[in-house]
Amino acid sequence: MARYIAKRIVYMIITFLVVITFTFLTMKLMPGTPFKNQNRISPEQLAQLKHYYGLDQPVPIQYLHYIGNALHGDLGGSFQFGMRPVTTILAEKAPVSFDLGFEAVIIGAIFGILLGVIAGLRRGTILDYGTMFISVLGISIPSFVLAVFMQYFFGVKWQLLPLAYWKGPEYHIMPVIALAVGVVANVARFMRTEMVEVVNQDYITTARAKGISSFNVIFKHSVRNALIPVITILGPLTAAIVTGSLVIENIFAIPGIGSQFVDSIVTNDYPMIMGTTELYSALLIIMIFIVDILYGVIDPRIRLAGGE
Amino acid sequence: MKRKAKWSFLATILLAFALVLSACSSGKSGSSKDSGSKDAGSSNELADKQVLNVASNNDIPTLDYTQTTDTTSNGILEQVQAGLTRMHNDKVQFDLAKGEPKVSDDKKVYTFTLRDAKWSDGKPVTAQQFVYGWQHENDPKSKPLYNFLFASTFIKNAAKIQDPKSDMYGKVDQLGIKAIDDKTLQITLEKPAPQFFLSMLSQPEFFPQRQDIIEKYGDKYGSSADSIISDGPFKLASWKQGSSYSLEKNDSYWNADSIKVEQVNVNIVKELSTRVNLYDTGKTDTVVLSGDFIAQEKAKNPDEVKKGLTSGTEFLYINQKTNKYLKNLNLRKAINAAINRKDFTDVLLKDGSIPSNFVVPKDFVQSPDGKDFRSDNPDGYPAGSESDAKKFWDQAKKELGVSSINLTLLTPDGDSYKKWDEYIANQISKNLKGVKVTINQQPWGNYLKLNQSFKFDLAFSGWFPDYRDPMTYLDMWTSNNPQNTTGWSDKKFDSLIAQANDQTDDNAKRWQTMLDAEKEMMSQYPIVPLFQQGQTWVEKKYVKGLDYPLYGPQIDYTGVSILKH
């Protein structure tokens, strides 16, 4: 196991380096400069500014500089925010997005699994159709439509919940629900399909024949086995939700990192593009790693060190 | 797949139904609120708490005055700091300067006496701080982004200090500013001071600065509320980037008695619909509107919707450098006449924008005797009608020997541009039979690159002024100016601009020369002027004195007071 983990970590670092390198090179192909007023200053002044920030050097040299600095924890300054360190901005904004995303994924997963289990066990009943109806709705309605609706009814019309900002627990309710509904729907559908398959397996019939309580049959034998595919989608789903909450963050005026994924590219803010990409890829790589470890915990038959 | 599609269809119907329901009920609640707020408006008594709440789309990128390039940052600096002069209600007022300066006979040397003003930490404002502020702004080591304003104002040696090829490059001690003593400041110009000199001094690039603070914070100067110090009407009380900031009345400001509002809280809300919802539920006192929200608020709160002009002008570049057809004056005139600007502003934009067939906008700057630049032709030069367009096009076809041409319209990215582009393309193809317009939308960086390398036929563009003078809209069209990406070169226009720059000793004469220059330009149509941007916003009836000036801070809070409500 330790050897497997060590090997995985080496692969993770290599993947991460490939992502950074590829992003850096493609980013430098984008036309334009990070200087917002480049159309107002003289070409000489623009050249001077590029020189100061090392943007006039060949791309491989710039890349080596960047990696060198990054190894010392210096990701550069953001051109959009008066050269404020990218690390400071990420440290301020990313936790907000992480809070929102993880809350949505955890709540979504719990409800999704519950609904999926119920639907799977009561296949063909009104409960099954009801949950699947909700789940299809959840997949069809984009989160931002739901967000706008909730904001209008709960925030404007009935004024039950704060309609924007990120100041206390009550401010989390609407954005978390808006993001979680998609997770619920996805997880519930997967869970139902797996449950339907698992409850028809021979070992479940055996377990029942042995007189094991139905609680234990469901949770120890069925759900555990049905969870594996669900865990597989939860990894990338978490990374996507944590970083892809841009629209929800905008609608509820949540000071997260979401908008920087787009803004930094549009403004040629090189250090910020790198910072957000690194954050996203690290998160995705780590989530996939955790999922792989979880496989072994849930299903001992999956031997991680296998094949040797 | 099929099943999912059916479900989503049902979901759409349900949603649509809910929308109709909500629309019906919102109309009712809107009208009842209206009658309630009318009573509030009738009283003129000031509220106990002088607090203004604002929801804005724009965060402050930075408050380091050498690094600011945007109107929000500059606007906040103009509220928390002060210069020799201040723009208020479209007039130049003396701020840190104690009244009119002493002017030398050749109008090249201005001597200002400073007031007894203090910074918020109690230290006095001195003439040496002005000298440091100006030198730091022009020091290449500060990597300044907007110091070309010093050269535009003809401050002595500024142009040479900024030019990497000059012997004087970076020698900031040669800049035309000197502290005679703590309270006396002498500014020297290369030419007699232009008319806009005093208004220019209200810009943050020309403010006094505290060397001790700038050196203490280094790279972090101006990146947080505590790394910036105030000598203006307000203090920056808090600033959470991407989330909110708040201004607090600065009691140590020399003119603090004139400031009524105690606190201004600004929340950053990127989504317009959310800002409007916050306004409708009373969580914010003012919001700038656009698009469909203008009509919606006009229906709900007709007395709270305000309208004004901005100094932004929108126009099309015409590339006559690489497109030989566009060298033809009649073709340019035809394109100009083909676009119905009135429908553009009144039907499409509806935000207070006005049609323009001019270069220098309306209500922006007045002559030495107080006449607006546009007073002789307020609606601009005659743009021509659809039939004129046809006539010019027929002539152009004859002169060029073609019956049809294809043009590309290059524009930046963005939702609003999409609608605008389609309108323009449609107008040109509709009124000029045989002209086909292809739209080419590009991200800003690529747009600039294509524009500057003449890879377009028509290009959508806008311009905001750098200083309060017609010249900021005019001198960019001279033959070798990098901003003139039309390829238009006109000797008469060039010489008129050069003349105006040499006439700073006689402002009335210079004014007339600039009027002549605009007239010359508008007879040649190197560009197609489209409209002067307007701005529509809502403000609660208990808010008084909130100003969005055409020149000066983006939003001026210094005149705000809050009535009892």
Tab-separated table of all heavy atoms in Angstrom, chain A residues 31 37-40 44-45 48-49 52-53 80-81 84 133 136-137 151-152 156-157 159 165 250-251, chain B residues 7 11 25-26 61 140 143 145-147 169 223 241 267 271 274 277-278 281 446 448 464 466 483:
chain	number	residue	atom	x	y	z
A	31	PRO	N	-2.966	36.400	-28.069
A	31	PRO	CA	-2.548	37.748	-28.441
A	31	PRO	C	-2.848	38.737	-27.318
A	31	PRO	O	-3.659	38.452	-26.436
A	31	PRO	CB	-3.404	38.048	-29.666
A	31	PRO	CG	-4.580	37.148	-29.553
A	31	PRO	CD	-4.168	35.968	-28.743
A	37	ASN	N	-4.255	49.479	-20.555
A	37	ASN	CA	-4.290	50.723	-21.334
A	37	ASN	C	-3.268	50.697	-22.455
A	37	ASN	O	-2.766	51.728	-22.871
A	37	ASN	CB	-4.045	51.919	-20.429
A	37	ASN	CG	-2.680	51.844	-19.787
A	37	ASN	OD1	-2.118	50.766	-19.621
A	37	ASN	ND2	-2.142	52.978	-19.425
A	38	GLN	N	-2.945	49.490	-22.951
A	38	GLN	CA	-1.900	49.395	-23.974
A	38	GLN	C	-2.227	50.191	-25.226
A	38	GLN	O	-1.321	50.560	-25.963
A	38	GLN	CB	-1.645	47.937	-24.338
A	38	GLN	CG	-2.869	47.238	-24.874
A	38	GLN	CD	-2.542	45.899	-25.508
A	38	GLN	OE1	-1.535	45.739	-26.137
A	38	GLN	NE2	-3.417	44.934	-25.318
A	39	ASN	N	-3.500	50.468	-25.451
A	39	ASN	CA	-3.831	51.252	-26.643
A	39	ASN	C	-3.671	52.749	-26.402
A	39	ASN	O	-3.889	53.539	-27.286
A	39	ASN	CB	-5.250	50.940	-27.126
A	39	ASN	CG	-6.275	51.173	-26.063
A	39	ASN	OD1	-5.958	51.119	-24.867
A	39	ASN	ND2	-7.505	51.448	-26.446
A	40	ARG	N	-3.303	53.144	-25.185
A	40	ARG	CA	-3.139	54.575	-24.917
A	40	ARG	C	-1.681	54.977	-24.789
A	40	ARG	O	-1.356	56.156	-24.836
A	40	ARG	CB	-3.859	54.959	-23.618
A	40	ARG	CG	-5.341	54.657	-23.693
A	40	ARG	CD	-6.188	55.705	-23.020
A	40	ARG	NE	-7.571	55.502	-23.419
A	40	ARG	CZ	-8.548	56.356	-23.182
A	40	ARG	NH1	-8.304	57.457	-22.535
A	40	ARG	NH2	-9.760	56.110	-23.582
A	44	GLU	N	6.994	52.636	-27.334
A	44	GLU	CA	8.231	52.629	-26.543
A	44	GLU	C	7.917	52.347	-25.078
A	44	GLU	O	8.597	51.566	-24.412
A	44	GLU	CB	8.966	53.976	-26.638
A	44	GLU	CG	9.566	54.271	-28.005
A	44	GLU	CD	8.538	54.811	-28.973
A	44	GLU	OE1	7.532	55.394	-28.515
A	44	GLU	OE2	8.713	54.625	-30.200
A	45	GLN	N	6.865	53.020	-24.580
A	45	GLN	CA	6.503	52.815	-23.174
A	45	GLN	C	6.026	51.389	-22.935
A	45	GLN	O	6.324	50.796	-21.905
A	45	GLN	CB	5.408	53.800	-22.759
A	45	GLN	CG	5.962	55.161	-22.372
A	45	GLN	CD	4.856	56.140	-22.063
A	45	GLN	OE1	3.942	56.315	-22.856
A	45	GLN	NE2	4.926	56.769	-20.909
A	48	GLN	N	8.941	49.166	-22.745
A	48	GLN	CA	9.594	49.372	-21.457
A	48	GLN	C	8.893	48.569	-20.352
A	48	GLN	O	9.532	47.912	-19.538
A	48	GLN	CB	9.536	50.881	-21.144
A	48	GLN	CG	10.598	51.354	-20.189
A	48	GLN	CD	11.989	51.127	-20.745
A	48	GLN	OE1	12.208	51.204	-21.948
A	48	GLN	NE2	12.923	50.807	-19.876
A	49	LEU	N	7.558	48.618	-20.361
A	49	LEU	CA	6.789	47.886	-19.345
A	49	LEU	C	7.003	46.383	-19.485
A	49	LEU	O	7.217	45.677	-18.501
A	49	LEU	CB	5.299	48.197	-19.491
A	49	LEU	CG	4.836	49.531	-18.909
A	49	LEU	CD1	3.416	49.829	-19.333
A	49	LEU	CD2	4.938	49.515	-17.387
A	52	TYR	N	10.256	45.464	-17.988
A	52	TYR	CA	10.255	45.436	-16.520
A	52	TYR	C	9.689	44.133	-15.974
A	52	TYR	O	10.143	43.612	-14.980
A	52	TYR	CB	9.428	46.595	-15.963
A	52	TYR	CG	10.230	47.844	-15.812
A	52	TYR	CD1	9.899	48.988	-16.525
A	52	TYR	CD2	11.342	47.880	-14.971
A	52	TYR	CE1	10.640	50.131	-16.414
A	52	TYR	CE2	12.094	49.025	-14.863
A	52	TYR	CZ	11.737	50.154	-15.582
A	52	TYR	OH	12.487	51.268	-15.468
A	53	TYR	N	8.654	43.625	-16.625
A	53	TYR	CA	8.003	42.424	-16.118
A	53	TYR	C	8.568	41.162	-16.771
A	53	TYR	O	8.001	40.083	-16.621
A	53	TYR	CB	6.490	42.508	-16.332
A	53	TYR	CG	5.845	43.556	-15.448
A	53	TYR	CD1	5.410	44.762	-15.958
A	53	TYR	CD2	5.712	43.315	-14.070
A	53	TYR	CE1	4.844	45.724	-15.148
A	53	TYR	CE2	5.143	44.277	-13.254
A	53	TYR	CZ	4.713	45.477	-13.797
A	53	TYR	OH	4.161	46.419	-12.985
A	80	GLN	N	-4.260	42.386	-12.973
A	80	GLN	CA	-5.573	43.021	-12.814
A	80	GLN	C	-5.684	43.796	-11.513
A	80	GLN	O	-6.480	44.702	-11.382
A	80	GLN	CB	-6.670	41.968	-12.741
A	80	GLN	CG	-6.992	41.237	-13.982
A	80	GLN	CD	-7.877	40.060	-13.636
A	80	GLN	OE1	-9.071	40.188	-13.517
A	80	GLN	NE2	-7.272	38.907	-13.423
A	81	PHE	N	-4.916	43.361	-10.505
A	81	PHE	CA	-5.079	43.951	-9.179
A	81	PHE	C	-3.788	44.615	-8.709
A	81	PHE	O	-3.304	44.359	-7.607
A	81	PHE	CB	-5.520	42.883	-8.169
A	81	PHE	CG	-6.823	42.233	-8.535
A	81	PHE	CD1	-6.856	40.968	-9.092
A	81	PHE	CD2	-8.023	42.904	-8.353
A	81	PHE	CE1	-8.057	40.379	-9.447
A	81	PHE	CE2	-9.232	42.328	-8.706
A	81	PHE	CZ	-9.249	41.065	-9.258
A	84	ARG	N	-0.877	42.661	-6.994
A	84	ARG	CA	-1.097	42.000	-5.723
A	84	ARG	C	-0.704	40.523	-5.888
A	84	ARG	O	-1.036	39.916	-6.901
A	84	ARG	CB	-2.591	42.069	-5.407
A	84	ARG	CG	-2.881	42.179	-3.971
A	84	ARG	CD	-4.251	42.772	-3.769
A	84	ARG	NE	-4.556	42.637	-2.366
A	84	ARG	CZ	-5.508	41.865	-1.901
A	84	ARG	NH1	-6.289	41.201	-2.712
A	84	ARG	NH2	-5.693	41.773	-0.614
A	133	PHE	N	-38.348	11.453	-11.096
A	133	PHE	CA	-38.877	12.687	-11.668
A	133	PHE	C	-38.071	13.873	-11.127
A	133	PHE	O	-37.590	14.735	-11.872
A	133	PHE	CB	-40.362	12.844	-11.316
A	133	PHE	CG	-40.945	14.161	-11.752
A	133	PHE	CD1	-41.106	14.445	-13.109
A	133	PHE	CD2	-41.334	15.121	-10.818
A	133	PHE	CE1	-41.639	15.658	-13.514
A	133	PHE	CE2	-41.866	16.326	-11.224
A	133	PHE	CZ	-42.019	16.595	-12.571
A	136	VAL	N	-34.613	13.896	-12.673
A	136	VAL	CA	-34.542	14.399	-14.055
A	136	VAL	C	-34.710	15.922	-14.068
A	136	VAL	O	-34.006	16.630	-14.790
A	136	VAL	CB	-35.620	13.721	-14.943
A	136	VAL	CG1	-35.706	14.409	-16.291
A	136	VAL	CG2	-35.292	12.253	-15.135
A	137	LEU	N	-35.614	16.403	-13.226
A	137	LEU	CA	-35.763	17.866	-13.101
A	137	LEU	C	-34.425	18.480	-12.713
A	137	LEU	O	-33.983	19.472	-13.283
A	137	LEU	CB	-36.790	18.188	-12.012
A	137	LEU	CG	-38.236	18.386	-12.426
A	137	LEU	CD1	-39.021	18.961	-11.245
A	137	LEU	CD2	-38.348	19.334	-13.609
A	151	GLN	N	-33.812	33.042	-5.579
A	151	GLN	CA	-33.511	34.403	-5.152
A	151	GLN	C	-34.756	35.271	-5.230
A	151	GLN	O	-35.043	36.042	-4.317
A	151	GLN	CB	-32.405	34.985	-6.034
A	151	GLN	CG	-31.880	36.304	-5.522
A	151	GLN	CD	-30.843	36.886	-6.457
A	151	GLN	OE1	-31.066	37.015	-7.660
A	151	GLN	NE2	-29.692	37.217	-5.922
A	152	TYR	N	-35.503	35.095	-6.310
A	152	TYR	CA	-36.697	35.924	-6.459
A	152	TYR	C	-37.741	35.604	-5.386
A	152	TYR	O	-38.246	36.501	-4.713
A	152	TYR	CB	-37.310	35.762	-7.856
A	152	TYR	CG	-38.560	36.578	-7.993
A	152	TYR	CD1	-38.473	37.966	-8.058
A	152	TYR	CD2	-39.813	35.989	-7.952
A	152	TYR	CE1	-39.603	38.747	-8.110
A	152	TYR	CE2	-40.964	36.767	-8.006
A	152	TYR	CZ	-40.847	38.136	-8.084
A	152	TYR	OH	-41.967	38.922	-8.116
A	156	VAL	N	-36.657	38.046	-2.585
A	156	VAL	CA	-37.329	39.300	-2.924
A	156	VAL	C	-38.792	39.273	-2.485
A	156	VAL	O	-39.275	40.154	-1.788
A	156	VAL	CB	-37.233	39.569	-4.442
A	156	VAL	CG1	-37.956	40.855	-4.802
A	156	VAL	CG2	-35.773	39.638	-4.875
A	157	LYS	N	-39.510	38.208	-2.874
A	157	LYS	CA	-40.955	38.208	-2.685
A	157	LYS	C	-41.326	37.951	-1.234
A	157	LYS	O	-42.056	38.726	-0.620
A	157	LYS	CB	-41.555	37.131	-3.586
A	157	LYS	CG	-42.976	37.417	-3.936
A	157	LYS	CD	-43.388	36.665	-5.177
A	157	LYS	CE	-44.773	37.044	-5.547
A	157	LYS	NZ	-45.863	36.421	-5.044
A	159	GLN	N	-38.996	37.378	1.204
A	159	GLN	CA	-37.912	37.892	2.038
A	159	GLN	C	-37.608	37.010	3.244
A	159	GLN	O	-37.495	37.483	4.374
A	159	GLN	CB	-38.207	39.337	2.460
A	159	GLN	CG	-38.557	40.191	1.257
A	159	GLN	CD	-38.209	41.658	1.436
A	159	GLN	OE1	-37.716	42.064	2.469
A	159	GLN	NE2	-38.449	42.455	0.418
A	165	TYR	N	-24.737	38.021	-0.887
A	165	TYR	CA	-23.584	38.139	0.023
A	165	TYR	C	-23.291	36.825	0.734
A	165	TYR	O	-24.013	35.837	0.588
A	165	TYR	CB	-23.747	39.277	1.042
A	165	TYR	CG	-24.120	40.596	0.409
A	165	TYR	CD1	-25.055	41.442	0.994
A	165	TYR	CD2	-23.558	40.990	-0.800
A	165	TYR	CE1	-25.404	42.650	0.414
A	165	TYR	CE2	-23.901	42.188	-1.391
A	165	TYR	CZ	-24.830	43.010	-0.787
A	165	TYR	OH	-25.182	44.188	-1.372
A	250	ASN	N	-21.632	34.677	-8.881
A	250	ASN	CA	-22.033	35.991	-9.384
A	250	ASN	C	-23.451	36.341	-8.954
A	250	ASN	O	-23.719	37.458	-8.533
A	250	ASN	CB	-21.935	36.023	-10.909
A	250	ASN	CG	-20.519	36.292	-11.374
A	250	ASN	OD1	-19.642	36.567	-10.559
A	250	ASN	ND2	-20.296	36.202	-12.654
A	251	ILE	N	-24.361	35.385	-9.080
A	251	ILE	CA	-25.762	35.674	-8.770
A	251	ILE	C	-25.918	36.041	-7.300
A	251	ILE	O	-26.646	36.967	-6.952
A	251	ILE	CB	-26.657	34.468	-9.135
A	251	ILE	CG1	-26.704	34.314	-10.647
A	251	ILE	CG2	-28.068	34.637	-8.565
A	251	ILE	CD1	-27.446	33.098	-11.136
B	7	TRP	N	-39.024	15.069	-20.556
B	7	TRP	CA	-39.073	15.610	-19.188
B	7	TRP	C	-38.653	17.076	-19.160
B	7	TRP	O	-39.264	17.897	-18.502
B	7	TRP	CB	-38.143	14.799	-18.270
B	7	TRP	CG	-38.733	13.501	-17.832
B	7	TRP	CD1	-38.234	12.251	-18.064
B	7	TRP	CD2	-39.942	13.316	-17.086
B	7	TRP	NE1	-39.041	11.315	-17.530
B	7	TRP	CE2	-40.107	11.930	-16.912
B	7	TRP	CE3	-40.910	14.182	-16.565
B	7	TRP	CZ2	-41.182	11.387	-16.228
B	7	TRP	CZ3	-41.987	13.632	-15.887
B	7	TRP	CH2	-42.120	12.268	-15.729
B	11	ALA	N	-40.591	20.299	-17.813
B	11	ALA	CA	-39.989	21.205	-16.833
B	11	ALA	C	-40.004	22.635	-17.342
B	11	ALA	O	-40.308	23.572	-16.607
B	11	ALA	CB	-38.554	20.768	-16.542
B	25	SER	N	-47.608	38.937	-10.043
B	25	SER	CA	-47.640	39.432	-8.674
B	25	SER	C	-46.616	40.537	-8.443
B	25	SER	O	-46.835	41.400	-7.618
B	25	SER	CB	-47.403	38.276	-7.698
B	25	SER	OG	-46.318	37.520	-8.142
B	26	SER	N	-45.509	40.514	-9.194
B	26	SER	CA	-44.494	41.533	-8.928
B	26	SER	C	-45.022	42.923	-9.302
B	26	SER	O	-44.664	43.907	-8.687
B	26	SER	CB	-43.210	41.228	-9.696
B	26	SER	OG	-43.391	41.544	-11.053
B	61	PRO	N	-9.495	47.745	-8.540
B	61	PRO	CA	-8.332	46.900	-8.836
B	61	PRO	C	-7.125	47.234	-7.955
B	61	PRO	O	-6.501	46.354	-7.400
B	61	PRO	CB	-8.053	47.180	-10.301
B	61	PRO	CG	-9.358	47.649	-10.853
B	61	PRO	CD	-9.979	48.440	-9.736
B	140	PRO	N	10.637	55.810	-13.894
B	140	PRO	CA	10.417	54.519	-14.581
B	140	PRO	C	10.406	53.353	-13.606
B	140	PRO	O	9.780	52.326	-13.870
B	140	PRO	CB	11.608	54.419	-15.539
B	140	PRO	CG	12.096	55.810	-15.713
B	140	PRO	CD	11.778	56.543	-14.444
B	143	LYS	N	7.163	51.916	-12.615
B	143	LYS	CA	6.405	51.303	-13.707
B	143	LYS	C	5.045	51.990	-13.916
B	143	LYS	O	4.004	51.354	-13.930
B	143	LYS	CB	6.201	49.812	-13.455
B	143	LYS	CG	7.512	49.061	-13.259
B	143	LYS	CD	7.268	47.603	-13.032
B	143	LYS	CE	7.380	47.033	-11.696
B	143	LYS	NZ	8.239	47.135	-10.697
B	145	LEU	N	1.704	53.663	-15.369
B	145	LEU	CA	0.898	53.302	-16.531
B	145	LEU	C	0.193	54.505	-17.165
B	145	LEU	O	-0.312	54.417	-18.256
B	145	LEU	CB	-0.146	52.260	-16.135
B	145	LEU	CG	0.416	50.902	-15.719
B	145	LEU	CD1	-0.679	50.010	-15.172
B	145	LEU	CD2	1.092	50.224	-16.892
B	146	TYR	N	0.129	55.613	-16.443
B	146	TYR	CA	-0.665	56.719	-16.979
B	146	TYR	C	0.068	58.055	-16.877
B	146	TYR	O	-0.553	59.104	-16.876
B	146	TYR	CB	-2.014	56.799	-16.244
B	146	TYR	CG	-3.191	56.671	-17.190
B	146	TYR	CD1	-3.644	55.417	-17.578
B	146	TYR	CD2	-3.828	57.788	-17.714
B	146	TYR	CE1	-4.707	55.281	-18.448
B	146	TYR	CE2	-4.891	57.665	-18.588
B	146	TYR	CZ	-5.326	56.405	-18.947
B	146	TYR	OH	-6.378	56.260	-19.824
B	147	ASN	N	1.407	58.008	-16.794
B	147	ASN	CA	2.108	59.276	-16.608
B	147	ASN	C	2.197	60.113	-17.877
B	147	ASN	O	2.653	61.240	-17.836
B	147	ASN	CB	3.505	59.036	-16.015
B	147	ASN	CG	4.373	58.204	-16.934
B	147	ASN	OD1	3.862	57.534	-17.824
B	147	ASN	ND2	5.667	58.241	-16.722
B	169	TYR	N	15.932	60.630	-19.822
B	169	TYR	CA	15.047	59.536	-19.405
B	169	TYR	C	15.224	59.195	-17.921
B	169	TYR	O	16.324	58.893	-17.461
B	169	TYR	CB	15.324	58.289	-20.250
B	169	TYR	CG	14.486	57.086	-19.889
B	169	TYR	CD1	13.099	57.146	-19.998
B	169	TYR	CD2	15.059	55.909	-19.433
B	169	TYR	CE1	12.320	56.052	-19.666
B	169	TYR	CE2	14.289	54.810	-19.105
B	169	TYR	CZ	12.910	54.888	-19.219
B	169	TYR	OH	12.133	53.807	-18.884
B	223	SER	N	-2.816	48.375	-1.734
B	223	SER	CA	-3.523	47.115	-1.995
B	223	SER	C	-4.467	46.734	-0.861
B	223	SER	O	-5.118	45.710	-0.910
B	223	SER	CB	-2.515	45.986	-2.236
B	223	SER	OG	-1.837	45.692	-1.049
B	241	GLN	N	-11.298	42.804	-0.934
B	241	GLN	CA	-11.290	42.709	-2.398
B	241	GLN	C	-12.288	41.690	-2.915
B	241	GLN	O	-12.419	40.609	-2.365
B	241	GLN	CB	-9.889	42.406	-2.886
B	241	GLN	CG	-9.206	43.681	-3.317
B	241	GLN	CD	-7.998	43.433	-4.176
B	241	GLN	OE1	-7.449	42.347	-4.190
B	241	GLN	NE2	-7.583	44.453	-4.892
B	267	ASN	N	-21.004	47.477	-1.966
B	267	ASN	CA	-20.906	46.025	-2.101
B	267	ASN	C	-20.683	45.674	-3.564
B	267	ASN	O	-21.331	46.237	-4.442
B	267	ASN	CB	-22.185	45.344	-1.608
B	267	ASN	CG	-22.205	45.229	-0.101
B	267	ASN	OD1	-21.355	44.568	0.495
B	267	ASN	ND2	-23.153	45.907	0.527
B	271	GLU	N	-23.736	40.514	-10.713
B	271	GLU	CA	-24.928	40.236	-11.510
B	271	GLU	C	-25.906	41.404	-11.411
B	271	GLU	O	-26.330	41.766	-10.312
B	271	GLU	CB	-25.552	38.951	-10.991
B	271	GLU	CG	-26.612	38.355	-11.876
B	271	GLU	CD	-26.039	37.767	-13.160
B	271	GLU	OE1	-24.895	37.280	-13.125
B	271	GLU	OE2	-26.741	37.822	-14.179
B	274	THR	N	-29.224	40.771	-9.612
B	274	THR	CA	-29.094	40.761	-8.153
B	274	THR	C	-29.019	42.182	-7.605
B	274	THR	O	-29.629	42.488	-6.585
B	274	THR	CB	-27.834	39.965	-7.750
B	274	THR	OG1	-27.879	38.682	-8.355
B	274	THR	CG2	-27.744	39.813	-6.249
B	277	ASN	N	-32.485	43.455	-7.594
B	277	ASN	CA	-33.242	42.841	-6.493
B	277	ASN	C	-32.884	43.489	-5.161
B	277	ASN	O	-33.751	43.730	-4.316
B	277	ASN	CB	-32.959	41.340	-6.420
B	277	ASN	CG	-33.722	40.560	-7.486
B	277	ASN	OD1	-34.730	41.045	-8.001
B	277	ASN	ND2	-33.245	39.390	-7.816
B	278	LEU	N	-31.603	43.764	-4.957
B	278	LEU	CA	-31.172	44.411	-3.717
B	278	LEU	C	-31.800	45.802	-3.601
B	278	LEU	O	-32.221	46.230	-2.523
B	278	LEU	CB	-29.648	44.524	-3.665
B	278	LEU	CG	-28.891	43.220	-3.406
B	278	LEU	CD1	-27.410	43.365	-3.737
B	278	LEU	CD2	-29.049	42.776	-1.953
B	281	THR	N	-35.563	45.559	-2.770
B	281	THR	CA	-35.869	45.177	-1.391
B	281	THR	C	-35.266	46.163	-0.381
B	281	THR	O	-35.237	45.883	0.811
B	281	THR	CB	-35.334	43.759	-1.094
B	281	THR	OG1	-33.952	43.692	-1.471
B	281	THR	CG2	-36.115	42.703	-1.849
B	446	ASN	N	-7.023	40.187	-28.707
B	446	ASN	CA	-6.933	39.905	-30.126
B	446	ASN	C	-7.561	41.021	-30.948
B	446	ASN	O	-7.086	41.363	-32.026
B	446	ASN	CB	-7.627	38.574	-30.434
B	446	ASN	CG	-7.069	37.932	-31.681
B	446	ASN	OD1	-5.924	38.178	-32.041
B	446	ASN	ND2	-7.888	37.137	-32.345
B	448	LEU	N	-7.471	44.176	-30.227
B	448	LEU	CA	-6.474	45.249	-30.336
B	448	LEU	C	-5.405	44.892	-31.367
B	448	LEU	O	-4.983	45.732	-32.151
B	448	LEU	CB	-5.806	45.489	-28.983
B	448	LEU	CG	-6.571	46.333	-27.989
B	448	LEU	CD1	-5.756	46.496	-26.716
B	448	LEU	CD2	-6.895	47.705	-28.575
B	464	PHE	N	-12.884	57.156	-24.075
B	464	PHE	CA	-13.153	57.975	-22.897
B	464	PHE	C	-12.032	59.002	-22.762
B	464	PHE	O	-10.899	58.722	-23.134
B	464	PHE	CB	-13.233	57.108	-21.638
B	464	PHE	CG	-14.595	56.535	-21.422
B	464	PHE	CD1	-14.944	55.313	-21.979
B	464	PHE	CD2	-15.543	57.238	-20.690
B	464	PHE	CE1	-16.212	54.796	-21.808
B	464	PHE	CE2	-16.814	56.729	-20.511
B	464	PHE	CZ	-17.154	55.503	-21.059
B	466	ASP	N	-9.020	61.476	-21.517
B	466	ASP	CA	-7.943	61.457	-20.541
B	466	ASP	C	-7.879	62.774	-19.777
B	466	ASP	O	-7.368	62.834	-18.684
B	466	ASP	CB	-6.602	61.209	-21.231
B	466	ASP	CG	-6.441	59.752	-21.629
B	466	ASP	OD1	-6.921	58.894	-20.869
B	466	ASP	OD2	-5.856	59.478	-22.680
B	483	GLN	N	-2.825	55.614	-32.317
B	483	GLN	CA	-4.239	55.310	-32.119
B	483	GLN	C	-5.073	55.499	-33.386
B	483	GLN	O	-6.217	55.072	-33.450
B	483	GLN	CB	-4.822	56.184	-31.005
B	483	GLN	CG	-4.660	55.565	-29.650
B	483	GLN	CD	-4.041	56.530	-28.677
B	483	GLN	OE1	-4.096	57.731	-28.856
B	483	GLN	NE2	-3.451	56.005	-27.634
